[in-house]
Amino acid sequence: MGTKSVLESLVSAGSPSFSKLLQQYGCGPVVFEGTDNALFERHLLFDNVADVDAATPRSRFEAFARSVRDVLSQRWVLTEKTYERQNPKRLYYLSMEFLIGRSLANNVCNLLLGGAAADAIHHKHLDWIDLVEQEPDAALGNGGLGRLAACFMESAATLHLPAMGYGLRYDYGLFKQGIRDGWQFEQADNWLRAPDPWEVMRPNEKVEVPLNCSFEISGGSLRAIPGRPSSLIGIPFDRPVVGYGGTTINTLRLWAAAAPDFFDFQEFSGGDFVGALAQTLSAESLTRVLYPDDSTSMGQGLRFLQEYFLVACSMADLVRRFRRVNAGWRAFPEKAAIQLNDTHPAMAVPELMRILLDDAHLGWNEAWEITKASLGYTNHTLLPEALEKWPMAWFKIALPRHLEIIYEINRCLLDDVRARFPGDEGRVERVSLVEDGAGSKIRMANLAIVGSHSTNGVAAIHSGLLRTTTVKDLAEIFPERFNNKTNGVTPRRWLLLANPWLSRVITGAIGDQWITDLSQLRKLKPLAQDQSFRDAFRQAKRDAKSAFADWLRWSSGRAVDPDTIFDCHVKRFHEYKRQMLMALRIVVLYNRLRENPDLEMRPRTFFFGGKAAPSYHLAKLTIKFINNLAGTIDGDPSVRGRLKVVFLPEYCVSLAERLIPASDVSNQISTAGYEASGTSNMKFMMNGALTVGTRDGATIEMAEEAGEENLFLFGLTAEQVAASRGWYNPQWHYENEPETRAALDLIFSDHFSRNEPGVFTPLRDMLLTKDFYMHLADLTSYIQAHERLGAVYGDRNAWAQKAILNVASSGKFSSDRTISEYAADIWNLKPCLVP
Ligand code: NBG
C-alpha cells in the first residue's frame, strides 16, 4: 500500500543531488548501493553474511538502515565535536520515556535522502513498505509524555540547539496489545530481539552508580538487603537524532543496567560461581521493562531504583562533560540546562546537590543556587494518583545521603515559610517535602518545584490550574518560577511523512517553508474560499482514507468504507478520557436507527484505539465493551452500512501515523480540567480533521487559533465541573433524559453481552452511582455537537472550508514553537551551528 506516495513525499521533501549530500555528510567516494563496494551491499555481505539477492527482509532492513547510519555518522561525530570545541550551553532532557516509533523513514526524510532511497529501492527491487515494516516500533514510553519527549528531541535538532536526551534502554518496551473475546491481553514487546541498527553502545563511557544496599529481584518485586552497599553499572547506548536538513545530529543516550564486571572473587573461588553470575542477572533486570502505567504512580521499588539509576547515570555523564571543558563550578548553570520531564527524574535535585557538596566540596548555599539555576521541571498531570510520593524508608535503605540532603532542603524551606507566613502551620504542612502519616513519604513534585528555577505546565489551562489549585501554596511562595509552555508536535513526522497527500497539496500551494516554519500554514487561510484548492484538499483526504482502508484490509483482513465519516478516538484508556462517552453516543445512535430505520443519518465508521494499564480493570472493561458493541452492530442487519465500530488493537506510533491522516473527526472529550494538554488533538488538526471536544487542555488554544466556529466544542467547563462536584447526581440524567436511559438500559439488559450476562455491571456502577468523570452530564451536549458536525459534513464546501482553516491555524502546535519558547524563557539556550 502507498509505497509510491510515501516515497514520493520523501523525494518531494527536497533532494539535492546525492553527491552533494555525500559531501555535506563527509562521506567521501562511497556509494549507497549498486556496486559490490557500496554501503548497502557491504552491510548485507559483511554484517549479515547474506547473499545480496537471497537476503531476508529483516537483513535488508538492517543493511539499509546501517547504510543510512553510515551516511550520517560523520556528521553525528562532527556535531559532538563542534559542541566540545565551542562549549555552548547545552540542554539535557531527562525523561523516563521516549516514545520513538520507527526511525528509518524519519531519518531518510530528515537527511533529505529521499531521492537516493528511492533510487536504491528501485535498483534493488526492494519494496519500501516491506522494508519499513521490518523495523519494530520503539515503544519506550506509554503515551503523550513519552511521545512529547521524542518530538522535542527532533525539534531541538532541527533548530540546531545543542541538546541531549537521557533515558533508559528498556529491553522490553510498552506491552503489545492483543484482543481475545473482546478482552485486552498483554504480550512482551521484545523490540531488541534482532540487533537495532541505529544504536551505538559506548562501554567506555560507562558510569558506576553506588547504592547503600544490595538488592534481589524475584517475581518482579525488589527486595533490598540493607547494610550491604553495592553498585550498578550504566552502559550508554546512543541513538542519532537527526534535525531536518541533516546539519545537526544530536544524541539520545539510553542507559542499560549491568553488574560491575569485576566479580566477587572471594565468592567465586569459594565455589559460588552461580551466585556471582546471578547477581549479574538481577542488576540487568533493572532496565528490563518499562512500567506500563499512564497517569498513575504504582509505587514499586523497582521503579524507584530505575528513576534513581537514570538520574545518577545522566548527572554523572553531564557533569563529566562539563568538567572536561570548564574550570570552575560557578559556570555550571551557564553551561547546562537540565529539564526534568515530570517528577520521574526529580531525584536530580538531591543528586546534583550531593555532587556539588561531596565531590566538588562547595558550601551549601552555593550548591543550592547552582542546583536551582540549572534545573527546570515540567508537570504533565494534575491527577492526584499520578503525583509521585516515595516512601522515606526506601531512601533510608538505598540512598541515605540523598535523604539527608532532602531533609536539609526541607528544613530551609519550612523555616522560610514560617518566617513569611507566621502561624500558618497548614501551609507549612502542605508545602513540606515530607508527607507524614502512616509511613512517611517524600513528595517528588514539591521537591522538583523547590529545587528548580522553573515549573511549567503543558497548556494554558493546565498551567493555570497547577498554579491556582494543585500546588497553590508553593506557587504563592515562588510565583516567578511558574510558567506555561503549550505542547507541540513535530510537523516532519506528523504531517510531512505521515500525510504525503496533504503535504503535497500544501507545498503545491504555498511552497515548502512550512516544513521548518509551521506558522506559514496561515497562508492557506484565503485558499479556504478557493474552489480548486478545496477540491485538491478533499481529494487528499479521500486518498489518505483509501490508503488506510487498504492497509487495514491488508494487515488484518478488515474492511471499512472510505465513503463513511471516519470518527476517531485514539489514546490511552482512562476514565477521564471518556471513551465510554463516545460509546454511549454510539448506543444512542444505534437505538435511534433501530427505532426508525428510515432515519436520515450519514454513515459513520467509529475507530477506537488505545491500551489500558494491565491492572486498570475498568479501562479494560471499557475495551471489552467497545469490542462487544462492534460485534453486536456488525451482526445487526438493521444498521448495516450505516454504523460500524472498529477497535484497532495495538495502537502505537506507526498506527497513529496511518490513522490520523485518514480521519475526518477527532474526539477530544476528556472531562474538562483533567487532560493536561493532549497532543493527538494537534496532530488531527494539522491533518485536516475537525474536532469535537471539551474545553480542556490545548483544545482550548486550538479553538482560539482557528476560531470557535471552526470546532465543535461542548460540555461542562473546568469551573463547572469543579463547582458541581458537591451536588452532581448522574441518576438525574438517567431519570430525565429518555435517550440516556434507553442507552443504559440496553447495555445493562445484556444486549451487548448475551453470552456473558452481567459482565458490564461495573460500568453501571461507574456511570450511575459515581460518574466521577461526569459522562452523563455531557452526553446530551456531546450528541448535539455531533449533530451540528453532521449538518456541516453534508455541505462539502463548508466542511472543506472549516478543515482548511483548521490546518491553516495549526502552526502554533509545532514542537519547534514549543522548544523555541523553552529555549528562550527557561533554558537560555542558543543555537550552535555545526559547520
Ligand atoms: C500526559 C497528559 C497529556 C499531555 C502529555 C504530554 C502524563 C503523565 N501526562 O494531556 O495526560 O499531553 O502528558 O504533556 O502522561
Side-chain angles (χ1 to χ4, degrees):
M1 146 265 133
T3 298
K4 219 171 124 250
S5 333
V6 176
L7 264 179
E8 271 172 17
S9 86
L10 288 175
V11 177
S12 69
S15 277
S17 82
F18 189 53
S19 59
K20 207 165 141 228
L21 282 167
L22 286 181
Q23 218 173 356
Q24 170 178 340
Y25 299 127
C27 280
V30 293
V31 280
F32 197 83
E33 52 74 40
T35 74
D36 288 350
N37 212 19
L39 297 172
F40 178 72
E41 282 81 354
R42 285 180 68 95
H43 279 299
L44 264 184
L45 185 61
F46 298 121
D47 297 351
N48 294 65
V49 195
D51 175 357
V52 175
D53 300 317
T56 63
R58 171 71 206 187
S59 315
R60 288 204 198 108
F61 158 72
E62 282 176 24
F64 203 95
R66 287 220 177 86
S67 306
V68 173
R69 203 188 80 183
D70 289 350
V71 174
L72 67 79
S73 292
Q74 302 180 55
R75 206 69 220 160
W76 192 8
V77 170
L78 183 63
T79 303
E80 183 55 34
K81 231 162 119 181
T82 306
Y83 297 162
E84 288 263 325
R85 205 177 304 130
Q86 302 201 3
N87 191 21
K89 183 171 187 180
R90 295 216 216 183
L91 163 69
Y92 299 103
Y93 195 82
L94 269 62
S95 179
M96 286 289 280
E97 304 193 6
F98 287 93
L99 187 43
I100 301 169
R102 289 178 172 147
S103 295
L104 179 60
N106 191 252
N107 288 347
V108 166
C109 169
N110 281 15
L111 290 163
L112 313 181
L113 284 175
D119 287 348
I121 297 291
H122 179 70
H123 293 152
K124 295 259 98 61
H125 307 294
L126 300 172
D127 182 282
W128 176 247
I129 296 301
D130 272 358
L131 212 59
V132 165
E133 292 276 332
Q134 288 302 316
E135 182 172 10
D137 212 87
L140 310 185
N142 274 284
L145 175 145
R147 184 54 234 172
L148 185 78
C151 283
F152 278 8
M153 290 297 102
E154 197 267 358
S155 278
T158 296
L159 293 166
H160 309 290
L161 293 170
M164 177 136 178
Y166 282 118
L168 294 183
R169 181 180 178 270
Y170 303 107
D171 297 320
Y172 295 86
L174 182 62
F175 65 85
K176 295 262 177 214
Q177 179 191 55
I179 300 291
R180 194 184 298 127
D181 300 328
W183 295 102
Q184 165 178 301
F185 66 93
E186 299 89 30
Q187 280 175 310
D189 165 42
N190 191 0
W191 74 294
L192 292 171
R193 186 184 288 121
D196 183 277
W198 304 111
E199 65 179 15
V200 183
M201 181 187 185
R202 303 214 188 269
N204 290 343
E205 296 181 50
K206 67 178 187 234
V207 167
E208 187 173 349
V209 179
L211 295 168
N212 202 46
C213 62
S214 301
F215 64 89
E216 281 172 2
I217 297 169
S218 66
S221 61
L222 186 84
R223 200 174 73 82
I225 307 161
R228 234 177 69 184
S230 67
S231 64
L232 287 163
I233 301 294
I235 314 274
F237 286 74
D238 289 351
R239 309 176 70 84
V241 182
V242 182
Y244 188 75
T247 22
T248 293
I249 300 179
N250 283 336
T251 299
L252 172 59
R253 174 160 280 198
L254 303 180
W255 299 98
D261 40 31
F262 44 87
F263 282 114
D264 185 337
F265 282 103
Q266 204 67 31
E267 254 175 295
F268 220 63
S269 50
D272 195 6
F273 176 78
V274 172
L277 282 176
Q279 197 199 324
T280 308
L281 279 184
S282 93
E284 286 169 359
S285 319
L286 190 67
T287 49
R288 188 79 78 219
V289 58
L290 164 79
Y291 275 95
D293 303 294
D294 186 68
S295 308
T296 39
S297 166
M298 308 286 279
Q300 291 97 340
L302 187 58
R303 168 77 176 192
F304 173 76
L305 268 196
Q306 281 186 338
E307 293 182 355
Y308 178 63
F309 180 72
L310 166 68
V311 163
C313 292
S314 311
M315 298 304 280
D317 194 59
L318 68 88
V319 162
R320 185 165 62 190
R321 263 162 221 281
F322 170 77
R323 297 290 286 166
R324 260 205 305 266
V325 280
N326 297 281
W329 285 97
R330 207 154 302 186
F332 189 75
E334 274 108 68
K335 295 297 174 187
I338 303 164
Q339 191 66 25
L340 310 177
N341 198 24
D342 219 296
T343 54
H344 314 152
M347 278 182 254
V349 176
E351 176 68 3
L352 185 51
M353 283 299 284
R354 187 195 62 74
I355 294 170
L356 296 173
L357 294 169
D358 301 355
D359 299 347
H361 306 293
L362 302 187
W364 178 273
N365 289 341
E366 193 178 2
W368 185 233
E369 292 311 317
I370 291 176
T371 297
K372 282 187 296 178
S374 328
L375 296 176
Y377 156 58
T378 304
N379 173 286
H380 292 269
T381 179
L382 305 177
L383 295 182
E385 64 268 32
L387 293 181
E388 288 187 301
K389 291 170 191 170
W390 290 118
M392 191 120 90
W394 296 355
F395 280 94
K396 268 193 192 134
I397 294 169
L399 305 169
R401 176 63 180 138
H402 294 76
L403 186 60
E404 218 169 74
I405 292 171
I406 291 172
Y407 280 153
E408 182 58 15
I409 297 173
N410 201 38
R411 194 189 60 74
C412 299
L413 169 73
L414 300 187
D415 282 355
D416 188 39
V417 174
R418 288 198 174 100
R420 283 171 61 178
F421 303 90
D424 193 349
E425 279 305 302
R427 178 183 300 265
V428 170
E429 196 289 313
R430 290 190 299 272
V431 301
S432 175
L433 306 187
V434 180
E435 185 172 279
D436 286 321
S440 297
K441 290 186 171 157
I442 304 299
R443 296 167 170 154
M444 301 308 280
N446 293 25
L447 177 62
I449 294 167
V450 172
S452 65
H453 70 285
S454 164
T455 292
N456 74 281
V458 289
I461 180 181
H462 166 67
S463 299
L465 289 170
L466 182 67
R467 198 160 35 73
T468 55
T469 61
T470 316
V471 290
K472 180 167 179 283
D473 302 283
L474 282 169
E476 281 167 13
I477 301 172
F478 308 114
E480 71 292 346
R481 295 188 190 176
F482 282 76
N483 64 95
N484 173 55
K485 295 287 166 283
T486 299
N487 283 167
V489 303
T490 166
R492 270 73 63 185
R493 184 179 288 265
W494 294 107
L495 182 52
L496 178 62
L497 258 180
N499 197 339
W501 307 278
L502 182 57
S503 294
R504 248 194 314 272
V505 171
I506 295 173
T507 299
I510 63 168
D512 65 3
Q513 295 293 302
W514 61 270
I515 298 171
T516 48
D517 173 11
L518 204 66
S519 68
Q520 300 265 337
L521 291 182
R522 87 168 82 76
K523 293 186 187 157
L524 295 173
K525 273 190 185 157
L527 297 175
Q529 309 302 332
D530 179 313
Q531 192 57 48
S532 68
F533 185 77
R534 282 180 191 159
D535 291 344
F537 185 91
R538 282 218 330 270
Q539 187 58 46
K541 178 60 78 182
R542 179 57 224 234
D543 290 345
K545 290 173 80 173
S546 305
F548 181 78
D550 291 348
W551 172 80
L552 191 65
R553 184 173 307 113
W554 168 80
S555 62
S556 69
R558 297 208 269 180
V560 291
D561 178 359
D563 285 325
T564 59
I565 301 180
F566 281 11
D567 191 339
C568 300
H569 192 308
V570 285
K571 46 187 86 242
R572 284 298 285 257
F573 271 75
H574 199 293
E575 286 156 87
Y576 84 79
K577 296 182 188 279
R578 295 200 297 192
Q579 281 87 357
M580 237 2 247
L581 179 60
M582 175 142 150
L584 284 172
R585 177 183 134 231
I586 298 169
V587 176
V588 168
L589 298 182
Y590 175 63
N591 269 336
R592 285 184 189 170
L593 281 176
R594 291 195 320 152
E595 218 156 84
N596 176 9
D598 298 326
L599 190 72
E600 267 235 36
M601 191 188 290
R602 233 148 253 295
R604 279 188 160 84
T605 306
F606 304 96
F607 291 97
F608 287 91
K611 297 179 185 181
S615 56
Y616 190 170
H617 301 297
L618 263 180
K620 288 179 129 172
L621 188 60
T622 307
I623 292 178
K624 165 74 173 163
F625 179 70
I626 289 166
N627 279 302
N628 279 27
L629 180 64
T632 306
I633 287 181
D634 275 349
D636 188 336
S638 69
V639 295
R640 193 154 300 149
R642 311 192 64 187
L643 296 183
K644 182 165 182 67
V645 178
V646 177
F647 184 89
L648 299 164
E650 183 50 19
Y651 183 61
C652 59
V653 173
S654 302
L655 178 49
E657 287 169 13
R658 292 202 168 87
L659 178 66
I660 291 172
S663 302
D664 297 303
V665 183
S666 158
N667 287 272
Q668 304 296 335
I669 57 178
S670 51
T671 314
Y674 287 87
E675 187 69 272
S677 160
T679 40
S680 74
N681 46 359
M682 305 168 182
K683 297 167 193 166
F684 280 104
M685 183 191 199
M686 268 173 212
N687 281 280
L690 295 190
T691 303
V692 177
T694 45
R695 290 174 177 81
D696 202 12
T699 303
I700 297 175
E701 290 161 69
M702 285 163 42
E704 278 165 17
E705 294 296 302
E708 247 194 56
E709 67 284 7
N710 292 309
L711 280 82
F712 298 89
L713 299 186
F714 71 93
L716 299 177
T717 62
E719 296 77 49
Q720 290 168 328
V721 167
S724 53
R725 278 267 165 250
W727 51 262
Y728 173 64
N729 175 14
Q731 280 288 336
W732 186 92
H733 295 276
Y734 179 79
E735 277 152 23
N736 291 282
E737 296 166 3
E739 286 200 306
T740 302
R741 182 189 197 114
L744 290 165
D745 284 349
L746 191 68
I747 297 171
F748 302 118
S749 74
D750 286 318
H751 182 81
F752 304 104
S753 46
R754 295 238 180 275
N755 304 321
E756 299 148 289
V759 67
F760 296 126
T761 307
L763 291 179
R764 164 185 234 130
D765 235 39
M766 158 174 121
L767 292 170
L768 276 168
T769 321
K770 301 183 215 88
D771 196 17
F772 185 82
Y773 291 105
M774 301 191 182
H775 295 76
L776 301 196
D778 278 348
L779 179 58
T780 303
S781 61
Y782 177 46
I783 292 170
Q784 287 164 354
H786 268 283
E787 281 164 359
R788 298 201 302 276
L789 173 139
V792 177
Y793 195 84
D795 177 346
R796 294 160 154 230
N797 276 327
W799 182 275
Q801 183 177 332
K802 279 195 195 307
I804 293 166
L805 289 176
N806 267 275
V807 174
S809 310
S810 67
K812 172 173 174 185
F813 305 104
S814 164
S815 43
D816 298 347
R817 188 268 314 149
T818 314
I819 284 294
S820 304
E821 290 179 5
Y822 274 90
D825 305 344
I826 302 178
W827 303 330
N828 189 23
L829 194 69
K830 304 276 177 322
C832 174
L833 291 178
V834 183

